[in-house]
Structure formats: structure tokens, C-alpha cells
């Protein structure tokens, strides 16, 4: 920088090239050396991206619901699907599996009852006896009976599906005109599938199916934010939190045995941020106990729900200080800065998450407006979990090129790409979000090195210990090299 | 930063307060000491902003066309109108004056002819004889005759107005679905008013009226990007560039005499960026001559027109190197980074503008994605001219809270707020853009110190020499103190 012309000299083209190179080298993966094969693949990728950037209907400039069919025909997307992406570090328990599976599989099981609330949202329950009526819901219908009377169940099944996801073929701007409306529908959709996924036999299969979908998308590891709800059996008996956590552990073990190369999954126990201080305190106590009882599968603790409407982290400071006060380990993985409300109490969550020594930051959408929090996140290697499609559907950003992670990526800020609630948004696995990051806010400049670094980040910033990280990285590297050699000509 | 807890200690509330204060102090104006009276005004402002932030129809989250009536009722806006804002450093010649003045004043003058192009855009000419037909335009109509036949001219005048501005009561998303559409209409609107404003008598009055509107909005100084077009008289005779520049100088002098406290205006000579290299070379030659002939009024040189469709700066490198090669002074004030096209040749303009030693950066919308350019801009005090409403209307950003200047403002990056083409966007002066900056991307945290610093920046980063800056700053300070004492109770 010292040597830039003093105005009285025309710029030197070599100096210009040097500046361009230096700026490009600052981006995520900008300093990763690429092998000859990687360079060939990178050149092909650049061409594909240039073609994509100049089309009039540039997918990252559109709402994902409109962009999805275009993305599906993109050669870059097909490459991203095949690419070993490492781990998915920000995914929620009940939005892993596309809703089609829920309808075609779960709702076709025997003893499945459905009712319709006065807000036109559906509710389910499995029961060996006729279930007790729900308040503000129509009388229960046994789906077996109902479907038996239909000539064609396609429309019916489609309407169930539509009730359990935000994705729609209609104009998303009309359907979801404001953050309030889209969050309300988001919460209703979770309530709709709740009775299905908390039925113990479905719970187990749903999770296995979720792992399958990520595995198929070439994701080898998962950190799942999980509410660990009480699950139930057909006779109405229930299982506690420990059972749920143990089931995650068992199914993960089974899946890993069935799928060589899969590296496992860990659980971040979550609770709604709308609870009060005393509920939070007892939940933190419970989390500490789970962390010590299940150190292998428990990764830590977080809060979920709309940040703007929930309580800020600082409200819960006493509860969140418990582990430190007792000298007990409970890693935090706080959602923070998933907000537009700059300068409000909620917007303080970013700095507070860092004060509570969070291991990563969920979303961090507002980080660019917090220079001190940004500096801390960078210096302490607290990675930001960027979930582009989630931010767009939940109306924080329209055009992906304006996503604040563009700035983070241009300066190699510690970050990973994740998908938050893919089934809710009509996505699956990580590839759609990788597409938005790579083609959208990555710009033409982001390259194969960027993708490689993002995949490596997802292992490096995982909750795995150093030894397991090395092992995971070695496994990933093997698959990466295979991917490169199969796709570079 | 050194002392942040190691995870095994609950955060200290005093340390937290300290971090919050340190982060706030990093913002634009964050370190300006405020007098007791300023602190009282600041407290009142904070209350107003909190009220504004929690309303469901938060103006900065909307398109400006919808937000304008809400902004007009905002007490913050009324305060901003009264506030001495310093200088407007990024304003274009033919969008200074609201179109109502053009219709009610210019088109009511005698000898005014109008025709309608096949794209339904209007064209004007003043002429003592019946003017020659324009290609692809209807036959000319003499407005005096046409209006004489009308019972009521209101609808007619309104339709002329609508043709010369982008502003509309209709849904802007429907009217301008893409950047291509809005830029096409933008260029047609300029073509529509061209024949009015290049008529020498109107030209003079238009500029005087433009200064009046900025003065009324408590702007005391202007740097005008001006095409310096050939102007014409009723008999068809024309005036050259030097006449136009001299007229700017004379009218400015007159206006300054008529309006004590007004500090003057300087001209940044501009040319369309779609020209070829040889036209650019001769224009740069002309600019160098004007700069040496009119050193007082000429501030420097720039290019205008849609950056994405025009030629990049580097294409013009030979022409732009002429001043340096000859050892002649010609300050540059380049538009750069008014684009979404990250990583393309056009997106290179930011770095190239800095390589050519630009004095300021027009828009710099993409600066956040260029860490090296950002660093250079900061270190060399090359201020970014942020024009929020322009960026929104021309579809670079939807929700103002996501404007990339939010990050710049949070870290006191050298910047000024300006209005680009207020009349085109239905704005006027600087107050609407100050509103969007202060309430929108400034967030709740930005305060009276921020506003004070923005006003001071507009003098500090002007093209005035040090002595004149001191004088302007002293004049501004006097008005500022008066403003504070009149509005803090
Ligand atoms: Zn989440
Ligand atoms: Zn401009």
C-alpha cells in the first residue's frame, strides 16, 4: 500500500495486476495452493460462473422459490452436489428431511390422526385409541379412513405438504409480505409436523432419513441443533430428553456403520428463547448434566426462535453464567445477529454471545455493523454460520449479492455455509446454500480455493476435538481428491 | 480485546458496558464530544428514533416512493431539514430542481414546443420559428396553443411531470421490475427535460432555482457534476462549454450575494462513460484546459451513466493518464462500484479509481466487497459519496438497513451523504437522504455526533482548499450552534 502513486504518475499495469491479485488473495481460500488438476477444474468453474453471471434471470438476484428451478439446471449446482462439502454445522432437528417424505412415509403409517386448527394449520397425532380433541382444532380424522374414501389422494397429500413448508409456487412477496407474516407461518409449519416427528418410531426414521439426505448431498458430518423434545408411543407413553439424545446417538452410530465415510453427528441442545429466566436456569442445568453424561454426542447449548421477538442473551445472563460459575464445561453455539434491528437490545446479542465465549455464531447477519464484535470473532476464530437461503426466505435480504457475508468472504473471515432449515425453505442438504454463496455473494472472483476452504472450515470450526478433526479432514481430503480428479479434464 | 474472559468466568457487566461504549465510539462521529445543549438534543433525537424504529411501517425498510409520505410526517425529518448539513458533494446538473418547477415555470414560457417519441417519452424545444421535426417523434405542438384549448391543464401538466421523473404513486416494483427497466426510464426522463434545461434562459434560472432548493434545505455548498452541454437561444444560436461553465460561475456568484451564509459551488465536469477512447482523450484535454482557465469554479473530472453498461475506467487508461503524463492537475471524482456485478471488469473500477488517485468515490456501493480498495480509501482519506435513495430506486438495495454503508458508518469510514439526482427520485436537497442514512443504516445507535460528523465531512472532503475549508467550517459551526440552541430544551 505504501507505494501507490502520488497522483502525478499514470498507474503501472503491473502494479495494478499485483493489487488485483492481492485483493483476490484476501478472500476465503484466496491463499490455498491449487494442484494442477484443481486448477483445471477451477478454470472450468470460472467459465461456468461467467456464463451464469451474464444471464438475465440470474438466480441469486431472485427469491429462492423462483430461483430453485433455474439452480437445478445449473452445471455449477450439479458440481456442488457432487463436491464433498465437509460438515453441516447449522441445521435444525425438524427441518432436515423434505416434507414429501413426511407425507408419503409418516402420514401413511397406521393410527395417524389429523385435525385442522382455526388458523388453517394442520396437527397430527399417532394413537392406538381415538385421541382427545385439541382446543381450537377440528375433530380428529383417521387418515387411513379419509384416504380410503378418496379416488385420488395427490391433491390432498400436496396440501398437507404445503402446510408443513414455507416453499410455494406462488409469488413469495405476496404470500409473505413481511417478517411478521413469514415467521408466523414458519412457526405454524413446525407445529404442523410436530405430532409426526415426535412419534418415537417416526422420530428415529426421520433422523435416519435426514442423515441420508445430507449424505446423498455429499455432507459427511452434522451438528444438529435439537430441541430434544419428549417423544411418544402409540399407547400415549412418553420418553424423556435422555432417551431422545440416546436415540440420536444410536441412530447416528447405525447410520455411520451403514455408510462408510460418514463421520457422524453431534447435538447442540436448544431451547426456545421466549422462555423466562427460571426455565432457562433449569434448562442450563439439564444441559450441563447431558453434557457430562453424553460427552461424545453432546456438542453444547443454544437458543432458537425469532431473535427479534425473543429475549436477548443478556436477559439470561445469570442462567448462562452457571457453567462458568461451577467450573463445568458447556460450550455455547449461540444464534446471534439474525436481525435488522441495529442498535436495539436484541442487536446486542452478537457482542454478548462473544462475551459468553460462544464457540460459533449462528447467522451473524448483523456482524458487519458491529466492528468490535467482528474483530473479536476474527481474532478468536469464532466462525459465523452463514445460512443464505434462510436469511432470504425470512426476509433479511433480497438479492443474495447484497448478503453481508459478501464482505466477510472477501476478507476470509472465519465462516461456514449452512442451510438452517432446508426442508422449510424447499432446499435440501447444503448444495443450494453453497450455490447462493459461491455464485451469489462470492461473485465471479470466488473460486475452487474458496469452495475448498469452506469445506475445510466446516471441519476446522466443528466441535470435534483436534484428533477427530484431523481424522475427518483426512477422510474429506480423500473424497475431495477423487472429486477433483473425476471432474477436471 | 486482550482481556476478554477465557470462558471460565461469567461476563463482567462493567466490561460489557465498556465494550458497548467502545463499539459505539467507532462509528461516524462516535468520538465527537458533545456540548450540554447537544446532549439534550441528542437525548430527544434518541427518543424520536426509538419511536420510529418500532413502528410497523418503518420507512427505511420500504421503497422511498412509499416511504416519502411517512418521512414527511416524521419529527426526525423535520429536524434534519432545519439542520445545517454542510455541502452536497454528489449531485448531478439536471436533477437539482423538482420537476414541478420545470413544468410550472419552464414549459409555460413562450415558444415552447413539445413532441412525443415512439417510446412515449416527451421532448421539448424553444424556438422563435416552427422547429424541424425530430426523428421518431410526433409533430411538434406549441404548448401555448395546446394549453389555450384546454379547460383544465392540471392532468396535462401532471403527465408532463411524470414523464420527467422516476417518482410515481404506482407500485415501484411493478413499474420498475429490473435494473434494465429503471435505467432505461431514467435515461428517457433525462432526455425529456433536456430541451428545457439546455435553453440558455432556462438553464440560468434552473441552476439558480437548484441552488435555492438546496439552500432552503440548509445546504450551504455544492459540488455539481455537470455535463456542460451546449446551450441554445431562441434563434437557434448556441453557446459552448466555456460559456456554460462561466454561467455556472456567474449564477453562483449572484446567488451567494443574494443569500448570505451560502458558501458557493464548484463544478465537476462529466462525460458519458459509453464514449470511445478517442472522444475520452479529447474530453480529458478539454477538461485540463477548463481546469487551468477556471481554477476557482472547476473542481475536476468524472464520468456518468450506468456503470454496468458503460466502459470500465481501465479501458480509458491512456486518456486518464494524460494529466499525470503532462504534469497537469486534473482532480478525479470517479463514480465507482455502483454495481452488483462482483468480480467483473466493471467491478474493477473501485481499485482503478484509487489507482488513478481519485479524490473521492461516487457511490462505492461495492466497497465492502473490496477489502484492499476499502483499506486504501480509508488510509488515503478518499471519501465515499453515499447516495442511499439513488441506490434504492436504481435497485441496488431494497431495505435501507441492509445498505453496505451501514458497515462503513459503524467504523467511521470517510464518507459523505448525498442525493445524486433528487428530482428524479422525488426527493429534494439532502434531508431525505440524511433521513435514510440516520434512521435506516445508522441504526438506533447513530446519534447527533454522527450527524455533526457527516456535516463536517462534507466540508472536510470537499474540493475546497484548506483555507476555504476552514472558513466554510467556521460558517457552518455558527449555524450549527444556532440550530442546536433553537432545538434543544
Ligand atoms: Zn438456526
Ligand atoms: Zn451520480
Amino acid at each position: 500500500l505504501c507505494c501507490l502513486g502520488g497522483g502525478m504518475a499514470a498507474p503501472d499495469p503491473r502494479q495494478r495486476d499485483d493489487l488485483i491479485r492481492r485483493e483476490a488473495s484476501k478472500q476465503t481460500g484466496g491463499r490455498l495452493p491449487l494442484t494442477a488438476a484443481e486448477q483445471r477444474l477451477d478454470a472450468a468453474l470460472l467459465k461456468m460462473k461467467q456464463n451464469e453471471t451474464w444471464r438475465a434471470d440470474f438466480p441469486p438476484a431472485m427469491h429462492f422459490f423462483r430461483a430453485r428451478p433455474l439452480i437445478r439446471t445449473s452445471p455449477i449446482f450439479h458440481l456442488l452436489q457432487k463436491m464433498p462439502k465437509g460438515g453441516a454445522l447449522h441445521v435444525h432437528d425438524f427441518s432436515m428431511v423434505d416434507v414429501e417424505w413426511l407425507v408419503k412415509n409418516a402420514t401413511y403409517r397406521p393410527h395417524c390422526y389429523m385435525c385442522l386448527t382455526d388458523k388453517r394449520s394442520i396437527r397430527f397425532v399417532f394413537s392406538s385409541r381415538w385421541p382427545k380433541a385439541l382446543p381450537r382444532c377440528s375433530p380428529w380424522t383417521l387418515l387411513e379412513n379419509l384416504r380410503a374414501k378418496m379416488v385420488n389422494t395427490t391433491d390432498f397429500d400436496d396440501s398437507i405438504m404445503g402446510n408443513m413448508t414455507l416453499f410455494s409456487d406462488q409469488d413469495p412477496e405476496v404470500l409473505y409480505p413481511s417478517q411478521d407474516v413469514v415467521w408466523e407461518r414458519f412457526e405454524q409449519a413446525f407445529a404442523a409436523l410436530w405430532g409426526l416427528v415426535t412419534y418415537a418410531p417416526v422420530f428415529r426414521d426421520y433422523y435416519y432419513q435426514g442423515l441420508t439426505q445430507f449424505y446423498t448431498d455429499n455432507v459427511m458430518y452434522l451438528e444438529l441443533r435439537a430441541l430434544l423434545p419428549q417423544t411418544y408411543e402409540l399407547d400415549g407413553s412418553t420418553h424423556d430428553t435422555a432417551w431422545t439424545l440416546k436415540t440420536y446417538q444410536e441412530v447416528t452410530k447405525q447410520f455411520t456403520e451403514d455408510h462408510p465415510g460418514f463421520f457422524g453427528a453431534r447435538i447442540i441442545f436448544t431451547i426456545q428463547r421466549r422462555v423466562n429466566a427460571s426455565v432457562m436456569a433449569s434448562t442450563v442445568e439439564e444441559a450441563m448434566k447431558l453434557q457430562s453424561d453424553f460427552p461424545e454426542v453432546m456438542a453444547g447449548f443454544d437458543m432458537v426462535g425469532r431473535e427479534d421477538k425473543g429475549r436477548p442473551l443478556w436477559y439470561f445472563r445469570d442462567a448462562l453464567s452457571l457453567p462458568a460459575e461451577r467450573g463445568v464445561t458447556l460450550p455455547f453455539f449461540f444464534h446471534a445477529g439474525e436481525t435488522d434491528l441495529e442498535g436495539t437490545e436484541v442487536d446486542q446479542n452478537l457482542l454478548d454471545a462473544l462475551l459468553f465465549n460462544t464457540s460459533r455464531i449462528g447467522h451473524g447477519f448483523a456482524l458487519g455493523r458491529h466492528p468490535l464484535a467482528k474483530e473479536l470473532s476474527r481474532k478468536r476464530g469464532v466462525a459465523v454460520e452463514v445460512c443464505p437461503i434462510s436469511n432470504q426466505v425470512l426476509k433479511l435480504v433480497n438479492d443474495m449479492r447484497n448478503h453481508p457475508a459478501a464482505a466477510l468472504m472477501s476478507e476470509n473471515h472465519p465462516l461456514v455455509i449452512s442451510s438452517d432449515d432446508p426442508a422449510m425453505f424447499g432446499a435440501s442438504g447444503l448444495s443450494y446454500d453453497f450455490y447462493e454463496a459461491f455464485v451469489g455473494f462470492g461473485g465471479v472472483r470466488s473460486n475452487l480455493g474458496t469452495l475448498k476452504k469452506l469445506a475445510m472450515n466446516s471441519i476446522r470450526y466443528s466441535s470435534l476435538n483436534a484428533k477427530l478433526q484431523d481424522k475427518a479432514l483426512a477422510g474429506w481430503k480423500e473424497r475431495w481428491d477423487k472429486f477433483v480428479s473425476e471432474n477436471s479434464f
Side-chain angles (χ1 to χ4, degrees), chain A:
Chain A
L1 293 181
C2 61
C3 331
L4 258 187
M8 277 300 117
D12 174 353
R14 277 165 310 180
Q15 191 199 12
R16 178 179 189 259
D17 289 345
D18 181 50
L19 284 178
I20 294 174
R21 258 196 307 274
R22 273 165 64 194
E23 192 165 77
S25 78
K26 283 176 180 278
Q27 74 180 335
T28 301
R31 277 170 193 149
L32 273 192
L34 298 183
T35 65
E38 284 172 336
Q39 284 173 30
R40 286 197 302 278
L41 176 54
D42 186 46
L45 254 180
L46 177 63
K47 246 181 230 150
M48 289 182 214
K49 202 186 305 193
Q50 280 165 336
N51 291 341
E52 205 116 336
T53 301
W54 291 108
R55 54 192 287 182
D57 50 355
F58 182 58
M62 288 178 229
H63 194 285
F64 176 66
F65 296 174
R66 287 205 200 94
R68 195 178 75 172
L70 302 173
I71 294 174
R72 284 185 174 168
T73 66
S74 154
I76 298 180
F77 179 66
H78 295 146
L79 211 63
L80 290 172
Q81 287 183 298
K82 287 186 271 179
M83 186 180 89
K85 287 171 280 291
L89 302 190
H90 188 129
V91 177
H92 291 273
D93 40 4
F94 297 133
S95 193
M96 298 175 74
V97 178
D98 59 65
V99 287
E100 190 174 355
W101 183 90
L102 273 181
V103 174
K104 297 295 180 196
N105 187 307
T107 74
Y108 274 85
R109 298 187 188 202
H111 311 292
C112 185
Y113 293 84
M114 192 183 99
C115 71
L116 185 69
T117 73
D118 52 12
K119 282 179 175 171
R120 310 201 61 75
S121 176
I122 53 182
R123 298 291 180 270
F124 294 97
V125 71
F126 288 90
S127 179
S128 49
R129 280 157 307 179
W130 200 271
K132 225 177 63 188
L134 274 192
R136 317 188 61 166
C137 215
S138 69
W140 291 107
T141 318
L142 185 62
L143 285 184
E144 284 174 84
N145 294 352
L146 188 66
R147 285 205 181 97
K149 286 183 228 149
M150 293 176 176
V151 183
N152 183 334
T153 57
T154 309
D155 288 352
F156 176 70
D157 286 357
D158 285 351
S159 79
I160 299 184
M161 255 181 262
N163 213 285
M164 297 192 295
T165 177
L166 291 175
F167 187 82
S168 162
D169 292 332
Q170 290 173 58
D171 183 346
E173 305 297 334
V174 174
L175 217 50
Y176 310 121
S178 69
Q179 290 185 4
D180 284 344
V181 172
V182 75
W183 270 96
E184 165 68 17
R185 269 282 287 121
F186 190 51
E187 281 161 16
Q188 288 299 324
F190 275 115
L193 54 77
W194 190 258
L196 297 176
V197 295
T198 54
Y199 176 45
V202 172
F203 179 81
R204 200 185 283 272
D205 294 354
Y206 181 91
Y207 179 56
Y208 194 97
Q209 178 64 19
L211 295 178
T212 308
Q213 294 198 351
F214 278 86
Y215 182 79
T216 309
D217 197 42
N218 286 297
V219 175
M220 65 183 285
Y221 172 71
L222 215 73
E223 294 194 358
L224 192 70
R225 278 167 167 91
L227 290 159
L228 304 181
Q230 187 176 281
T231 54
Y232 69 98
E233 299 285 351
L234 217 49
D235 61 5
S237 64
T238 59
H239 304 291
D240 67 359
T241 302
W243 181 94
T244 311
L245 187 55
K246 222 179 306 175
T247 302
Y248 275 128
Q249 191 166 22
E250 282 166 18
V251 176
T252 304
K253 189 160 172 281
Q254 184 61 52
F255 186 88
T256 310
E257 277 167 23
D258 300 348
H259 297 84
F262 191 72
F263 204 76
R266 303 190 80 209
I267 302 297
I268 298 166
F269 177 32
T270 59
I271 182 176
Q272 292 287 348
R273 63 184 346 125
R274 61 170 169 254
V275 302
N276 64 27
S278 80
V279 172
M280 185 59 76
S282 58
T283 310
V284 169
E285 303 259 12
E286 189 183 6
M288 291 190 283
K289 179 155 174 27
L290 291 170
Q291 188 74 40
S292 98
D293 290 352
F294 301 89
E296 232 178 272
V297 67
M298 266 285 284
F301 182 72
D302 186 16
M303 290 168 214
V304 297
R306 186 174 174 194
E307 209 172 326
D308 288 346
K309 296 281 164 175
R311 293 191 153 116
L313 289 179
W314 194 246
Y315 167 85
F316 296 118
R317 59 191 175 279
D318 292 339
L320 299 179
S321 299
L322 288 176
E325 279 167 19
R326 305 214 187 134
V328 170
T329 302
L330 180 65
F332 294 138
F333 295 84
F334 290 129
H335 279 75
E338 189 186 5
T339 182
D340 270 335
L341 298 175
E342 188 177 353
T344 63
E345 219 187 334
V346 158
D347 189 41
Q348 205 48 52
N349 280 347
L350 273 171
L351 216 42
D352 286 337
L354 288 159
L355 271 169
F356 278 106
N357 208 31
T358 194
S359 299
R360 293 194 302 265
I361 293 168
H363 293 294
F365 187 84
L367 194 64
R369 303 185 284 223
H370 286 277
L372 197 62
K374 189 173 158 188
E375 198 182 333
L376 282 169
S377 148
R378 187 179 191 95
K379 286 203 176 149
R380 291 159 64 183
V382 176
V384 180
E385 302 159 351
V386 177
C387 305
I389 294 170
S390 169
N391 297 152
Q392 191 190 49
V393 175
L394 296 175
K395 300 185 82 75
L396 284 172
V397 63
N398 286 57
D399 187 324
M400 287 292 190
R401 292 172 297 184
N402 286 332
H403 195 290
L408 299 181
M409 221 158 112
S410 77
E411 56 197 18
N412 192 24
H413 194 92
L415 62 85
V416 296
I417 304 296
S418 201
S419 50
D420 208 4
D421 296 286
M424 280 291 163
F425 309 137
S428 73
L430 289 185
S431 292
Y432 289 101
D433 285 279
F434 261 77
Y435 176 90
E436 300 285 6
F438 183 62
V439 181
F441 51 81
V444 177
R445 194 172 49 184
S446 68
N447 60 13
L448 190 69
T450 313
L451 294 170
K452 192 175 178 182
K453 187 74 190 321
L454 287 172
M456 289 162 73
N457 277 356
S458 74
I459 296 168
R460 158 74 186 82
Y461 295 112
S462 75
S463 68
L464 293 169
N465 66 37
K467 207 177 133 199
L468 286 174
Q469 286 194 8
D470 287 348
K471 203 176 150 203
L473 211 56
W476 167 83
K477 184 65 168 50
E478 209 170 290
R479 294 163 74 99
W480 174 268
D481 290 340
K482 188 159 169 288
F483 160 74
V484 170
S485 79
E486 282 172 3
N487 291 285
S488 65
F489 308 102

